[in-house]
Amino acid sequence: MKDFENEEFDELEDLDESENYITLTDDNGEEVSFELIGITEYESRNFAVLIPFDEEDDGVVILEIVPGEGPDYDEFVSVEDDGLIEKVFEEFKKNYDGEYEFE
């Protein structure tokens, strides 16, 4: 999994289905495109669950959503704790049961 620099995005709460595609820049300066498949709250923190468009990568990427300084900007922040990633993904699966098939 690649680490991503903090990224800003506009008004996450106002996203509709046509706006669930984002491009982030990884630590190597390369742009990576994702589909945002859901947002999960875990222990009073919000996490974005993303699927990379890269056909070779069939996993999900989980990034924390941290409120930014402006009223309309938040940041995507890499989650370094593998245990936390697993707990967030389990919460995501529970919240989105029936919408996606999980292996």
Side-chain angles (χ1 to χ4, degrees):
M1 180 186 308
K2 296 181 181 181
D3 289 330
F4 293 90
E5 296 176 355
N6 294 349
E7 294 293 325
E8 295 182 347
F9 60 100
D10 292 322
E11 303 176 13
L12 182 63
E13 297 81 20
D14 295 335
L15 287 178
D16 65 28
E17 301 246 350
S18 66
E19 297 174 313
N20 287 344
Y21 302 97
I22 59 172
T23 300
L24 301 175
T25 304
D26 69 16
D27 288 339
N28 298 323
E30 296 179 27
E31 290 187 347
V32 182
S33 295
F34 297 93
E35 178 182 0
L36 174 65
I37 61 170
I39 298 170
T40 296
E41 183 177 339
Y42 181 77
E43 295 185 347
S44 300
R45 296 161 61 186
N46 289 315
F47 296 87
V49 180
L50 310 156
I51 297 176
F53 285 147
D54 183 354
E55 294 177 11
E56 295 176 15
D57 190 351
D58 60 353
V60 298
V61 174
I62 296 175
L63 300 174
E64 184 172 4
I65 302 168
V66 178
E69 294 181 19
D72 296 331
Y73 295 98
D74 292 335
E75 297 179 34
F76 286 112
V77 178
S78 294
V79 178
E80 303 296 327
D81 182 343
D82 290 338
L84 176 59
I85 290 172
E86 186 64 33
K87 290 174 185 174
V88 169
F89 190 58
E90 289 302 317
E91 185 71 18
F92 169 80
K93 290 192 301 188
K94 184 173 72 174
N95 293 340
Y96 288 85
D97 186 35
E99 290 186 47
Y100 300 101
E101 290 186 30
F102 302 105
E103 294 180 14

